[in-house]
Amino acid sequence: MTKIDTSGPEHVLPTPSHTVGPFYGYALPFRGGEEIAPAGHPDTVTVHGYVLDGAGRPLPDAFVEVWGACPDGTVPRVDGALRRDPASGGHLGRNGVEFTGWGRAQTDASGHWYARTLRPGARGGGAPYLSVCVFARGLLTHLFTRIYLPGDESALAADPLLTRVGERRGTLIASEEAAGTHRFDIRLQGEGETVFLEFR
C-alpha cells in the first residue's frame, strides 16, 4: 500500500514497516502440521524447544516451519502436506502415510514447539540437518536457520557451515535428551543468539 501526502506538493511516502506476526496465526496453522513422519514409523525423531526473545522470554505466538531430507538423503517429492475436506473446505491435515519432509508448528502459550519427523540423511557432503524458518512478532521478515542432530561427530566437525560459524556452532546443534528426542531452542537475539542464514 502506498500513501499520498495531500497536504503539500504531491509526493509518495513509504508505507510503514509491518512485522511478520502474529497475524499468520489465523490461517496458516493446520491440524497435524507438526506430525511430519508417517504414523507409526519406527525411525521417527522428535525435535522440540522454545522460541525465545532477546531477554530469554518465550514467545507464545511464534511459528516454526521445518523441512528435512529423507533418511537416505534424497529430497521428498510427495505433494501435499495439506489436504482439504471436499465437503467443508476445511483442512484434514496429512494422510499419515507419505513423508513430505515439511511441517509447521505454532508455539503454545509457554513458547514451546515440537516436530516429529524422520532423521534426515546427508546431502551434498555436509552433516545432515533440518532446515527451519521462524516467524515471530517484531520480525520484519522471517528468519532461516538449521538444526543439526547429534550422533555423527566426524560429520559435524567437517560440516562447512558449522566450520564457518566457529564458536557459535553450538546454537545450531540440538542436544539429545533421550533416544529419539532432541532439544533445540531458538534464540532470536541477545546472548546465545541462534545463527541465522541469509540466502541470495
Side-chain angles (χ1 to χ4, degrees), residues 84-175:
R84 288 196 174 274
D85 181 339
S88 70
H91 291 299
L92 290 174
R94 302 177 186 279
N95 65 14
V97 176
E98 298 172 301
F99 178 66
T100 64
W102 177 85
R104 270 185 191 146
Q106 193 168 14
T107 57
D108 63 18
S110 65
H112 184 260
W113 68 276
Y114 82 93
R116 260 191 277 285
T117 188
L118 299 181
R119 188 179 183 100
R123 299 177 61 236
Y129 62 85
L130 297 168
S131 294
V132 176
C133 185
V134 183
F135 301 81
R137 64 173 123 133
L139 298 179
L140 297 180
T141 186
H142 48 280
L143 301 173
F144 297 99
T145 190
R146 289 181 178 177
I147 302 172
Y148 289 89
L149 300 179
D152 187 342
E153 297 310 313
S154 60
L156 292 173
D159 185 83
L161 177 64
L162 291 177
T163 301
R164 285 183 64 193
V165 299
E167 294 178 0
R168 296 185 61 202
R169 70 193 299 274
T171 70
L172 296 176
I173 302 173
S175 59

Side-chain angles (χ1 to χ4, degrees), residues 175-189:
S175 59
E176 186 168 22
E177 292 187 328
T181 302
H182 305 278
R183 171 86 179 258
F184 187 81
D185 293 337
I186 300 168
R187 182 79 178 249
L188 298 180
Q189 62 181 5

